[in-house]
Every structure is written in C-alpha cells, then in structure tokens.
Amino acid sequence: MPLTISSDAFEIVTDPGAASPTVATDRPVRAGALDTLGVSSSYLAATGFDASVGSTAVLATTTSAGEQSLPIAVGLGDTELSEADVRKAAAAVWRAASKVASLTSALAVSAADDLGADVAFAAVVEGMLLASYRFTEQKGEPGDADPLDRIVLAAPDGTDAAAAAARASAIAGGIALARDLVNRPAGALTATDLAAAAVDAIGSAATDADPDVGAATVEVWDRERLAAEGCGGLLGVNAGSTEPPALVRMRWQPAGTPRAVIHLVGKGITFDTGGLNLKSFEGMEWMKIDMGGAAAVIGAMSAIVRLTPDVAVVGTCCCTDNQPGPTATKPGDVLRIRNGKTVEVLNTDAEGRLVLADGLSLAVEDEPDLVVDLATLTGACMVALGDRYAGLMGNDPAAIERALDAARAAGENLWHLPLPPEYRKQLDSDVADLRNIGKGRYGATLTAGLFLAEFVGETPWVHLDIAGPVRTDADEGELSRGATGFGVRTLVELVCGW
C-alpha cells in the first residue's frame, strides 16, 4: 500500500487526555506560547526548535503512572494558519512519531480557531496520511513497516469527524495514486498500463459512490478508435513506438442537473526519449515522469468520484511513449489534429503539445464551462520558475482567477504567465496551419501555451505546466522524495469549490 497508514488507523476523541496511554503526544505551539510544554524556551531552543510551522522537538517525560511519554513540540508559527500549514505540521508530527507504536494529537483543536473544526481536522488527517507515503513496489525487500499504527486525534467541538476524515482520505488516496503512477518506471507503465490504472481507479471509486448521488464511467480508445476519431497528434507521437497508444475518458455525472461541466486533460507520455530529436542522457534520465499531468487527472478523478460534487467532470488522458523507432514521425512531417488543424512537426521532442491538441479538441466539443490541462510540458518553465512553482496560462481572466484561487486554497504554487499575441507569428508554418515549436530561442513556455490555445477556441481554458513541482528530491512536510502528486488537490478544489 502506498499509504502505510489508512484512515482506519485514526481513533477520534473529544478529549485527548481521556485516551488510553500512548507513547507519544504532540503539543502544538506558536512562537511565544511555549508554556503548554512545561519546559523553558531556552531548553527548546537548544533542541533547534523555533516554533516555525512544521518544526518539531521530541522531549522525554514520565507520566504520573510511571509510564514513559515522548511529547512532540510542533510549531505553528505566529501568523494565521492555512490548511497547508496544518498539513505540514501534521506531517512533521507523524514523521517525528513514526517509530513509536501510537500517537495522541490535539493539533486539530489548536488549528480550529483559524480554520474551523472540520477543515482543521481534515488537514491533520490528510497531512499524516501523505507523510506515511512510501513507494516500495520495485524493491526486493521493502524494509520494515513503521510501527505507528494507532493515532488518537482530538476532534474540535462541532467536528463532523467521519465526513472530514473521509474527505481527507479521498484526496490523500488520489494524491498517492498519482505519486505511484509517476514513480513507477516506464518499463512497468506502458500507455495501456496507464489506461488500465485509470479504469481500476475509477471502478474502485465508483463502487464506493452512492448511485442516487451520481455515476462514474470510464472508456479507453485504442489505436483503431483513435484513427477513426481523427486523433492525428497522439498517433503521430506514437508512430515510432512498439507499444500501442491509449486515450482514456473518465466521467463523473451527478444526479440531476450539474451546476457546471469541467473537462480535465492530462499529458500521458509514459517515457520521452525525444523521438528522432533524441534527448541527451541528462535530459532523458527522469523522463518516466512525463505522464505527471495524466497521473494528476487520474488521481483527481478518483477523489472526485468519492467526493460526489454536483459538478459534471470529464477527465481525458492522452497516453503513449515517444520513441525513435523506424516508423517514427520525422522533422518536417505534418500531422492532422482532431479539430482539423494541421501541424508541421519541426522538433519531435515537442511532443506533449501534439497529444494535448487532440485532448483539448475533444474537450471543447463537450461545450464545458472550463477546460484545464496539466502537463510536464517545457523545461523552459523550470528555468523560469524553478521546481516549486507551476506555470499557468489561459485565455479567460475569470478562469485564470478560479485556478489561482483553487491553487491557493490547495496550497499548491501557480504563477500566472502571459500568452503574448505578438509571439503567435513564431508558430506560422509555410506548409501547415502551424508549427509545433517557435522560431526563436526564447519564450518556449509561452509559445507552447500559444500552440495549445489554437485548440480550445473561445472555451474558457487554463494550462498548467507542472514540469518543476511534479517531483522532489527530499522528504519535506507531506512530500516524500520522488513524485509529489502536484495538481491533484488543485483540481479537486477547483471542482468541489465551484
């Protein structure tokens, strides 16, 4: 299991002092409020604890009954808490206590004044669940499981703890699924494997859904169906591969008339060699992550089906690898996209936009209220924004604000980038409707966004280039080294908060 604990491990109480004896207890503190620990500030300072959000110090005391206790001081900073702060603090507590048998935490009670009871409780559960994530399926010996298997959570007054925990579990499960898919090596995740994972995830989520609330369906298009549907971009990228392509369409349809229709589109390049424009070793090393956009859409859809919003949602994932086989698309070849536009392929390593062109063309045919695509699209976005921010572009100010608001609420970093109309001429082709790369060296992220805009027309649309934050090199907060599941929480917030 990717989450080494589950929501079933949590015992909910209204008074943590009334819980059965445990090995570790946490003491949430803010800067300047250290009296709750019964130790001096100088003592805590000596441990390196500074009360910043997520900082921890493990102390040793003996209870009145002579039992050993390990209080954990966890910092909450000195400003108003956000959900992301509480998840970070909860994850830090879990990591600090993961080698003991049980934990009692009153963190949700401390955070409730800032966030409200249900939100605070859900943030604690989600933070601890995600901190427990481990990807071990490729290890011959996964190692010993963490002994922490019982967590007593004090619920603030008025908490609907069961509902809050269920929401947290759904979101954490979707993020863990996305992490699993991105972490999996390409040799164990072909396009058809990725499609099968989506079918399994939506099928499992649909089993838990109340049919009176809505229904979930999923379908997979194979090569023959893609050809019949005119998906020339996806087929063109797949031309050099021995593995067949797949296009997955997942749908959540609430009972009654939905308040909105949202279409999510994910880039699912399971491995990107660059095609005939072959990448260097350094450029190819991490290209198993190039399906991070599709993974986020699959993870988000699995959570959405469990959360049953009264918004209709379609998730489309365009899946293939990009290989330099003898039948590969060649620089100068022209592909015809689903919407009829033709593209001159001048760099086969600019393949993600070609598969997304088909996905976006399909999305707008449903006349949705919003289309959102996610893709590890350009290295240039990482050059501009680093590995903590995703780039956001779009054609509609209201849609852009919705996405930014959802990301802020989700605790994921987006940075709004422009779509300069004066750069559009860089995509002009002599032989086709447009070329797949710009003519200059600079602004590659922006010209990629302008290319995608050609396939959405007037439909409100935003594009998230998640190349940077799709993975991390360190355990930090709720993140574990490797895939992050970036984008899942933003998509869920965008849908459920509509």
Side-chain angles (χ1 to χ4, degrees):
M1 293 290 292
L3 299 176
T4 60
I5 57 174
S6 73
S7 57
D8 294 337
F10 296 97
E11 177 182 329
I12 301 164
V13 298
T14 55
D15 176 12
S20 55
T22 58
V23 176
T25 58
D26 79 337
R27 300 287 190 272
V29 295
R30 294 179 184 268
L34 304 181
D35 54 305
T36 59
L37 288 164
V39 297
S40 68
S41 59
S42 59
Y43 175 82
L44 274 179
T47 70
F49 180 80
D50 62 4
S52 61
V53 174
S55 61
T56 59
V58 180
L59 313 172
T61 65
T62 302
T63 69
S64 58
E67 297 166 331
Q68 191 69 25
S69 178
L70 297 172
I72 301 168
V74 57
L76 297 182
D78 54 9
T79 60
E80 184 174 350
L81 290 170
S82 67
E83 288 182 64
D85 291 335
V86 176
R87 285 194 300 268
K88 182 177 181 179
V93 170
W94 188 91
R95 293 186 194 281
S98 62
K99 301 306 179 186
V100 300
S102 59
L103 166 72
T104 297
S105 175
L107 177 55
V109 176
S110 298
D113 287 344
D114 285 356
L115 297 179
D118 288 349
V119 174
F121 192 84
V124 170
V125 173
E126 188 181 338
M128 290 188 178
L129 287 173
L130 289 173
S132 81
Y133 175 87
R134 301 289 184 273
F135 183 74
T136 60
E137 68 179 38
Q138 300 294 322
K139 291 182 177 288
E141 296 183 7
D144 295 334
D146 292 323
L148 178 57
D149 61 2
R150 178 174 178 266
I151 301 172
V152 179
L153 295 183
D157 290 340
T159 306
D160 185 346
R167 175 179 173 81
S169 182
I171 296 172
I175 293 171
L177 171 60
R179 291 180 182 180
D180 270 355
L181 294 173
V182 176
N183 280 329
R184 197 164 291 159
L189 189 73
T190 64
T192 50
D193 291 334
L194 185 55
V199 171
D200 288 346
I202 301 307
S204 175
T207 300
D208 299 334
D210 182 347
D212 293 333
V213 177
T217 57
V218 58
E219 63 176 333
V220 179
W221 292 4
D222 60 12
R223 180 184 280 119
E224 289 70 25
R225 177 73 183 274
L226 289 166
E229 297 286 351
C231 296
L234 180 51
L235 291 170
V237 174
N238 179 254
S241 177
T242 58
E243 293 289 342
L247 186 141
V248 186
R249 303 198 86 190
M250 301 161 281
R251 188 180 299 270
W252 164 252
Q253 185 66 38
T257 303
R259 288 190 295 114
V261 177
I262 301 175
H263 204 128
L264 313 175
V265 181
K267 171 188 171 184
I269 303 297
T270 57
F271 194 83
D272 182 17
T273 68
L276 292 179
N277 291 109
L278 199 66
K279 294 179 182 288
S280 65
F281 164 74
E282 292 81 6
M284 205 185 300
E285 182 179 6
W286 288 106
M287 282 301 101
K288 71 175 187 178
I289 70 170
D290 213 17
M291 35 61 66
V297 170
I298 294 169
M301 289 298 299
S302 74
I304 287 165
V305 172
R306 287 186 167 90
L307 296 172
T308 65
D310 56 353
V311 172
V313 190
V314 181
T316 297
C317 296
C318 308
C319 310
T320 180
D321 53 354
N322 183 25
Q323 300 286 353
T327 57
T329 293
K330 300 170 287 297
D333 283 353
V334 174
L335 305 177
R336 185 175 297 276
I337 307 300
R338 162 79 178 189
N339 72 347
K341 290 190 176 183
T342 56
V343 178
E344 182 184 13
V345 180
L346 292 171
N347 187 335
T348 61
D349 195 21
E351 85 299 329
R353 64 200 70 184
L354 298 174
V355 304
L356 287 175
D358 282 329
L360 292 171
S361 297
L362 281 164
V364 299
E365 291 172 14
D366 290 341
E367 299 183 352
D369 296 284
L370 176 65
V371 175
V372 183
D373 79 78
L374 293 87
T376 50
L377 202 65
T378 65
C381 196
M382 295 180 67
V383 173
L385 301 179
D387 60 3
R388 300 294 184 96
Y389 282 78
L392 177 150
M393 287 160 272
N395 64 355
D396 181 85
I400 290 168
E401 278 306 309
R402 278 187 183 273
L404 289 171
D405 288 345
R408 279 190 287 267
E412 295 184 322
N413 296 323
L414 300 183
W415 194 264
H416 181 203
L417 298 171
L419 288 175
E422 61 270 28
Y423 289 6
R424 170 58 184 82
K425 62 186 177 183
Q426 292 188 30
L427 297 174
D428 289 342
S429 166
D430 294 334
V431 300
D433 293 323
L434 67 164
R435 44 191 283 157
N436 76 325
I437 56 171
K439 296 177 181 177
R441 292 180 57 193
Y442 305 114
T445 297
L446 308 186
T447 53
L450 288 165
F451 178 92
L452 297 178
E454 293 287 318
F455 301 93
V456 295
E458 300 302 315
T459 301
W461 156 78
V462 292
H463 159 62
L464 308 184
D465 191 329
I466 64 172
V470 73
R471 65 178 298 273
T472 181
D473 289 326
D475 293 345
E476 182 179 353
E478 70 208 56
L479 302 179
S480 299
R481 188 170 60 233
T484 63
F486 186 94
V488 172
R489 194 181 289 112
T490 293
L491 294 180
V492 172
E493 182 67 32
L494 186 63
V495 169
C496 294
W498 187 270

